[in-house]
Amino acid sequence: MTQFNIFIIRAVIGAVVAVVLTRMFYGKVEIVYVAGLAVFLVGMAYVMEYFRKKRSD
């Protein structure tokens, strides 16, 4: 898979998880909270990938 495809998959999964978490803890879905949480989740996925690759080298 290309890096762009991986980014799209992570972005979609991040958005879905962000909607679910926002609904569970906040009670309603507001686009600002969902977008912020989705960006955070995708960013953390890349940070964790960086540390995993760094440790394996």
Side-chain angles (χ1 to χ4, degrees), residues 2 4 6 13 16-17 24 27-28 32 36-37 40-41 44 51-53:
T2 65
F4 183 71
I6 292 171
I13 291 172
V16 170
V17 171
M24 276 186 0
K28 54 186 169 182
V32 175
L37 186 57
F40 174 75
L41 290 172
M44 288 306 295
F51 285 129
R52 185 178 53 87
K53 284 185 178 181

Side-chain angles (χ1 to χ4, degrees), residues 29-42:
V29 176
E30 291 191 22
I31 192 71
V32 175
Y33 297 123
V34 171
L37 186 57
V39 167
F40 174 75
L41 290 172
V42 173

Side-chain angles (χ1 to χ4, degrees), residues 1-16:
M1 269 206 247
T2 65
Q3 292 294 329
F4 183 71
N5 289 345
I6 292 171
F7 170 74
I8 295 298
I9 291 169
R10 286 179 178 170
V12 169
I13 291 172
V16 170

